[in-house]
C-alpha cells in the first residue's frame, strides 16, 4: 500500500555517501523527527552499491531505512544510475556517451555534490541496449530490496531531469535518430527534400548534425533528443513501478523550461507527465533573491505539474562559499542564509502551491568544493537559528489547524503567458549575433511586468490554451502552420491574444514566411509588415507609445505595419535608424475575439529596464480589454497570493523587504466591483495585524515575513 502524502512534506537530502559521518546518523534522525521533518531523500549511488559485477553492498542504505522506520520518516530513494561502478567504466567503454566532436570521456570523476567516484563526463548512453540492461538490473535490485519496507516513501528518478548538451553521437543514438526520422517523414526522399540534401541513397548516410544552424535537421535533432530523453525517463519509472507497484514515483527539475530546454532538455511539462509528483531544485544563492525569481520558478513548475503534487524538492538551507554564482554579490543576496531567509523562502513556495519543502542538505558536506554549503543544520549536525525557524514552519504546516489552508491552491489566473518551447530551440539556432537568451529574457520580462503590477498570471503550455481566455505571447518568432491555425481558431471563439512583435516570422522548418505576420496569421491581426529590423544589439534604443503610455522600452527586434483591418494604437522608432511615426501597435476584432499586436518586445525591455511606462501600458491595455485583475494591492514590497479549495479562500500577503510594510488589498469580482467580495477576515493562520476597513483589507506585515488568513 502506498504511504499517504503528508499534509506538507518537510525534509531534506540526508545521505550522500560518505556524508554525514555514520556515528551521527541516529542522533540526526532523532533531531529531524523532533523538529517536524517527515521525509529524507538519499542518493542511492550505483557506483557505491554494486561493488563487483552482481555483488551489492546495501549496508549503509539499509541503515537509513531502518532509522526512517524507527523515527517515523519516509525515505525517498533517489536512484543514481548515472554514478557508475569503477569496474563498469573500465569494462564497458562503449556504454558511455559520445560527444559532438566524436570523443568519449577518458576518466571516471568525482561528483562535487557527494565526493564519490563514478561520475563520468557525458554520462551513460541509454540508447545502447547493453547500457539499458545494466541500468535495469540495478533499478530492479533497488526496488526489490526495499519494496514494502516501513521506512520507504518512494523513488526519485533522474536527478534534476536534464542531459548533457553535446551528447550523444554514438552509433546507437544515430540509429535511433534515423528510425525517428523515418517515422516522421516516411521515406528517405521526403527527408532529403526537408533537409535540402537531395542525394541520399541509403539511410546509413543520414547523420546527426554536429553543428548549430537554423535548418530543419538541427530542429529535428533537438526535437528527437528531447522526445527520446523523456521516453527513457518514463522507462525508468516503469521499471520501478513494475518491481514495486506500491511505491510512489517522483522527480524534480531545476525550473528551467524557460532557460535550458535547448541545451539540457529541461522541460517541466514533459518530466511531470511521467511521474506522480514533481518538484524543483531552486537555490537562491545561485539564482539571486530578487522577489520575482522564486515566484516565477514556483509558478512555472506548478504549471508543468498540471495539478499533480508539487514540491520545492531542493531548497537552500545554509550559505554557499567560493562558487562562481555568488562572487561579487552581497552577503544578503543568498550567499549567507539567515533564519529570516528560511522563513521567507518557505512562505513564498508554500503560497505558490508547493506542498513539500526539502533542503539540498540536512547538514553540509565536509569535503569537496561544496564544503559547508547549503546545510540547514550546522556542520556538526547541531541545531541553529535556521533549523529552529524551519522546525517552527514544519510543525505549523502539518498542524491539524492548518489542514484547510494547505488543501487550498493558488487561484487559476485569468491571464496566461504562453510557453512554446520550440521557440527557445529555434532562438538558439538563429543567434548569430550572440547567445543572448532572447526567449528567456522575454518570458521572464513578461512575468516580471505582471508581477510588478500585482496581476496574477500563469504559465500556459501551448497544448493547454483552451483553458484560458486571455494569453500573452512573448517572443513569438517561430510558429508552424498548425499552431498558427489553432491560435486563429482560439481567438475566433472569443480568446484575447496580446502578442509581441514578428509573430510567425519563421514558419514550418524555420523558413522565413513571405507574408508577414507569418504562418498564415496576418489576417488574425489585420496588418501587413511595413518594415522590420533585426538588430538586437541596438534593441535598447527602441521606444514606442501605446494605450496612453509614452516612451515605453522595446527590445531586440522591431516590426512596423500597414493596417488592413485593425485599429492603429501606437507608434515606434529606433532612435537614429528609422523615422518617427510608423505604426507598431494595433488592436483588432477577429471573430468573437480580440488580437493586440505590439511590434517589438516590451517584455525584453522591461526585463532590462523595469520602466514605469511599461506598467502603465499594461494596466491601460487591460482596462481597454475590460480585464479586471482579481485583486489590487497598494504597498511597496508586498506580494499577494489568493488560494482556494474546499469552497474556502485564503490570502497570503508576503513582505520581501527587511522592514515592516503596510498593505491595502481590495478583492474584485468579475465586474470590477469590490462589493461583497471580502465581507470579513476569518482565521489568521500566520502573523497578525490584519483588519477590514470599508471593503479593504489592511495589514501590517513584518520584514521578510507574511500574514496568512482566510477571507470570508
Amino acid at each position: 500500500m502506498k504511504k499517504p502524502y503528508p499534509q506538507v512534506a518537510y525534509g531534506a537530502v540526508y545521505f550522500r555517501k560518505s556524508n554525514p559521518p555514520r556515528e551521527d546518523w541516529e542522533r540526526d534522525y532523532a533531531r529531524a523527527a523532533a523538529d517536524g521533518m517527515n521525509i529524507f531523500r538519499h542518493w542511492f549511488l550505483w557506483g557505491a552499491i554494486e561493488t563487483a559485477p552482481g555483488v551489492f553492498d546495501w549496508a549503509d542504505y539499509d541503515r537509513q531505512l531502518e532509522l526512517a522506520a524507527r523515527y517515523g520518516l519516509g525515505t525517498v530513494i533517489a536512484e543514481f544510475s548515472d554514478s557508475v561502478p569503477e569496474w563498469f567504466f573500465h569494462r564497458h567503454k562503449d556504454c558511455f556517451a559520445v560527444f559532438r566532436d566524436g570523443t568519449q570521456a577518458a576518466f571516471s570523476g568525482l561528483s562535487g555534490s557527494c565526493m564519490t567516484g563514478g561520475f563520468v563526463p557525458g554520462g551513460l548512453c541509454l540508447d545502447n541496449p547493453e547500457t539499458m540492461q545494466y541500468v535495469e538490473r540495478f533499478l530492479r535490485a533497488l526496488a526489490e530490496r526495499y519494496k514494502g519496507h516501513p521506512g520507504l516513501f518512494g523513488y526519485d528518478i533522474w536527478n534534476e531531469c536534464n542531459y548533457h548538451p553535446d551528447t550523444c553521437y554514438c552509433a546507437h543514438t544515430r540509429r535511433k535518430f534515423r528510425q525517428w526520422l523515418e517515422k516522421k517523414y516516411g521515406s528517405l526522399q521526403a527527408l532529403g527534400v526537408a533537409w535540402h540534401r537531395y542525394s541520399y541513397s541509403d539511410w546509413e548516410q543520414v547523420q546527426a548534425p554536429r553543428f548549430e544552424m537554423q535548418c530543419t535537421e538541427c530542429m529535428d535533432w533537438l526535437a528527437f533528443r528531447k522526445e527520446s530523453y523523456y521516453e527513457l525517463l518514463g522507462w525508468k519509472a516503469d521499471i520501478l513501478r513494475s518491481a514495486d507497484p506500491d511505491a510512489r514515483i517522483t522527480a524534480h527539475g531545476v525550473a528551467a523550461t524557460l532557460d535550458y530546454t535547448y541545451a539540457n532538455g529541461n522541460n517541466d511539462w514533459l518530466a511531470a507527465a511521467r511521474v506522480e509528483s514533481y518538484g524543483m531544485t531552486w537555490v537562491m544563492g545561485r539564482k539571486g533573491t530578487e522577489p520575482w525569481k522564486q515566484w516565477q520558478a514556483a509558478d512555472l513548475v506548478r504549471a508543468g505539474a498540471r495539478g499533480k503534487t508539487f514540491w520545492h524538492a531542493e531548497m537552500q538551507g545554509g550559505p554557499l562559499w567560493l562558487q562562481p554564482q555568488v562572487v561579487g554579490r552581497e552577503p544578503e543576496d543568498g550567499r549567507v542564509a539567515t533564519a529570516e531567509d528560511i522563513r521567507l523562502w518557505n512562505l513564498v513556495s508554500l503560497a505558490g502551491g508547493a506542498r513539500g519543502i526539502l533542503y539540498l542538505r540536512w547538514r553540509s558536506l565536509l569535503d569537496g568544493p561544496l564544503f559547508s554549503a547549503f546545510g540547514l543544520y550546522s556542520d556538526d549536525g547541531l541545531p541553529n537559528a535556521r533549523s529552529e525557524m524551519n522546525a517552527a514552519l514544519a510543525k505549523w504546516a502539518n498542524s491539524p489547524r492548518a489542514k484547510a489552508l494547505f488543501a487550498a491552491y493558488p487561484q487559476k489566473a485569468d491571464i496566461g503567458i504562453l510557453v512554446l518551447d520550440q521557440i527557445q530551440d529555434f532562438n538558439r539556432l538563429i543567434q548569430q549575433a550572440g547567445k543572448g537568451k532572447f526567449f528567456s529574457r522575454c518570458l521572464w520580462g513578461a512575468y516580471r511586468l505582471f508581477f510588478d503590477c500585482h496581476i496574477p498570471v500563469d504559465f500556459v503550455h501551448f497544448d493547454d490554451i483552451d483553458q484560458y481566455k486571455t494569453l500573452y505571447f512573448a517572443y513569438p518568432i517561430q510558429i508552424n502552420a498548425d499552431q498558427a491555425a489553432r491560435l486563429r481558431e482560439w481567438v475566433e471563439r472569443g480568446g484575447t491574444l496580446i502578442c509581441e512583435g514578428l509573430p510567425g516570422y519563421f514558419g514550418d522548418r524555420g523558413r522565413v514566411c513571405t507574408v508577414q505576420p507569418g504562418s498564415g496569421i496576418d489576417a488574425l491581426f489585420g496588418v501587413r509588415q511595413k518594415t522590420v529590423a533585426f538588430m538586437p544589439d541596438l534593441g535598447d534604443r527602441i521606444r514606442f507609445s501605446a494605450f496612453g503610455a509614452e516612451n515605453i522600452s522595446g527590445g531586440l527586434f522591431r516590426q512596423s505595419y500597414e493596417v488592413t483591418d485593425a485599429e492603429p494604437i501606437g507608434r515606434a522608432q529606433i532612435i537614429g535608424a528609422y523615422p518617427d511615426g510608423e505604426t507598431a501597435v494595433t488592436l483588432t476584432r477577429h471573430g468573437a475575439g480580440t488580437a493586440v499586436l505590439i511590434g517589438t518586445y516590451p517584455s525584453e525591455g522591461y526585463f532590462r529596464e523595469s520602466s514605469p511606462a511599461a506598467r502603465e501600458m499594461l494596466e491601460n491595455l487591460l482596462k481597454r480589454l475590460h480585464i479586471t485583475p482579481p485583486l489590487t494591492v497598494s504597498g511597496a514590497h508586498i506580494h499577494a497570493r489568493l488560494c482556494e479549495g474546499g469552497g474556502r479562500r485564503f490570502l497570503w500577503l508576503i513582505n520581501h523587504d527587511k522592514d515592516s510594510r503596510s498593505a491595502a488589498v481590495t478583492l474584485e469580482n468579475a465586474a470590477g466591483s469590490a462589493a461583497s467580495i471580502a465581507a470579513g477576515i476569518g482565521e489568521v493562520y500566520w502573523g497578525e495585524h490584519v483588519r477590514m476597513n470599508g471593503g479593504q483589507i489592511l495589514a501590517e506585515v513584518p520584514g521578510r515575513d507574511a500574514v496568512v488568513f482566510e477571507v470570508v
Side-chain angles (χ1 to χ4, degrees), residues 103 130 141 154 172 261 309 390 447 454 488 540 546 551 645 704 708:
T103 63
E130 184 182 10
H172 302 283
T261 289
T309 299
N390 176 77
Y447 183 89
H454 299 289
R488 288 198 309 271
D540 60 350
N551 202 35
R704 302 182 69 72
V708 184

Side-chain angles (χ1 to χ4, degrees), residues 559-572:
Q559 195 174 40
S560 67
Y561 306 106
E562 298 284 357
V563 172
T564 59
D565 185 24
E567 176 188 351
I569 296 294
R571 302 181 181 278

Side-chain angles (χ1 to χ4, degrees), residues 6 43 53 88 101 123 126 183 260 271 277 291-292 383 419 436 564 575 590 635 661 670 711:
W43 286 18
F88 183 87
D101 63 3
L126 284 174
K183 182 178 179 181
Y260 293 117
S277 61
W292 70 272
V419 179
T564 59
I575 298 171
H590 185 79
R661 296 286 179 173
V711 177

Side-chain angles (χ1 to χ4, degrees), residues 223-422:
F224 159 74
R225 290 177 71 228
K226 197 179 307 177
E227 183 178 315
S228 177
Y229 172 80
Y230 286 102
E231 285 178 353
L232 289 168
L233 187 146
W235 169 78
K236 284 188 172 186
D238 289 344
I239 290 170
L240 292 168
R241 288 189 185 104
S242 67
D244 185 0
D246 290 333
R248 298 188 179 279
I249 309 292
T250 189
H252 65 283
V254 292
T257 299
L258 308 184
D259 195 5
Y260 293 117
T261 289
Y262 168 85
N264 301 96
N266 298 104
N267 187 297
D268 295 305
W269 279 271
L270 290 176
R274 288 160 173 81
V275 293
E276 185 176 339
S277 61
Y278 188 62
M280 66 177 183
T281 296
W282 188 263
V283 182
M284 295 67 176
R286 287 175 170 159
K287 300 294 186 178
T289 56
E290 297 95 319
W292 70 272
K293 287 185 174 179
Q294 185 182 347
W295 284 102
Q296 71 83 31
D299 286 341
L300 176 65
V301 177
R302 178 172 52 85
R306 285 184 168 132
K308 294 179 179 179
T309 299
F310 148 52
W311 291 1
H312 192 151
E314 292 194 355
M315 179 186 280
Q316 181 177 353
L320 180 60
W321 308 130
L322 301 183
Q323 296 298 300
Q325 301 96 333
V326 299
V327 173
R329 284 165 44 187
E330 293 301 315
E332 58 269 22
D333 191 17
R335 295 183 77 166
V336 181
T338 66
E340 291 73 25
D341 291 329
I342 297 300
R343 180 176 61 203
L344 178 66
W345 299 340
N346 272 258
L347 291 168
V348 169
S349 285
L350 292 170
R355 294 300 174 259
I357 303 290
L358 277 66
Y359 294 88
L360 286 103
R361 312 277 194 278
W362 193 85
R363 52 187 283 191
S364 302
L365 303 181
L366 301 177
D367 43 19
L370 290 173
F371 70 93
S372 299
F374 301 136
L376 181 66
Y377 290 74
S378 300
D379 285 353
D380 56 6
L382 295 180
N384 55 43
R386 299 189 307 276
S387 68
E388 290 170 357
M389 177 65 75
N390 176 77
L393 287 157
K395 292 173 183 177
W396 167 70
N398 283 293
S399 66
R401 174 174 171 263
K403 183 176 181 179
L405 175 65
F406 288 104
Y409 291 87
Q411 184 182 60
K412 179 176 174 290
D414 295 327
I415 304 172
I417 295 176
L418 191 56
V419 179
L420 188 55
D421 63 330
Q422 77 189 34

Side-chain angles (χ1 to χ4, degrees), residues 134-271:
Y134 277 96
V135 170
E136 179 171 355
R137 186 178 74 176
F138 170 65
L139 294 177
R140 287 194 179 278
L142 187 65
E144 288 167 1
R145 184 168 188 86
Y146 295 113
K147 66 180 179 181
H149 195 292
L152 177 64
F153 181 84
Y155 302 86
D156 182 83
I157 55 174
W158 218 322
N159 185 59
E160 295 186 344
C161 298
N162 65 84
Y163 49 75
H164 194 284
D166 292 320
T167 61
C168 176
Y169 292 83
C170 75
H172 302 283
T173 301
R174 297 200 309 271
R175 184 180 306 114
K176 188 175 178 181
F177 182 42
R178 293 186 193 107
Q179 293 168 350
W180 185 88
L181 292 168
E182 188 170 8
K183 182 178 179 181
K184 177 176 180 177
Y185 290 103
S187 70
L188 186 61
Q189 182 182 19
L191 172 70
V193 171
W195 281 21
H196 305 294
R197 295 180 181 269
Y198 304 105
S199 51
Y200 284 135
S201 61
D202 190 281
W203 278 101
E204 291 297 316
Q205 297 163 7
V206 178
Q207 299 297 312
R210 311 277 179 138
F211 53 88
E212 294 179 359
M213 186 183 295
Q214 60 201 78
C215 60
T216 307
E217 62 191 86
C218 289
M219 296 170 68
D220 281 340
W221 174 243
L222 295 176
F224 159 74
R225 290 177 71 228
K226 197 179 307 177
E227 183 178 315
S228 177
Y229 172 80
Y230 286 102
E231 285 178 353
L232 289 168
L233 187 146
W235 169 78
K236 284 188 172 186
D238 289 344
I239 290 170
L240 292 168
R241 288 189 185 104
S242 67
D244 185 0
D246 290 333
R248 298 188 179 279
I249 309 292
T250 189
H252 65 283
V254 292
T257 299
L258 308 184
D259 195 5
Y260 293 117
T261 289
Y262 168 85
N264 301 96
N266 298 104
N267 187 297
D268 295 305
W269 279 271
L270 290 176

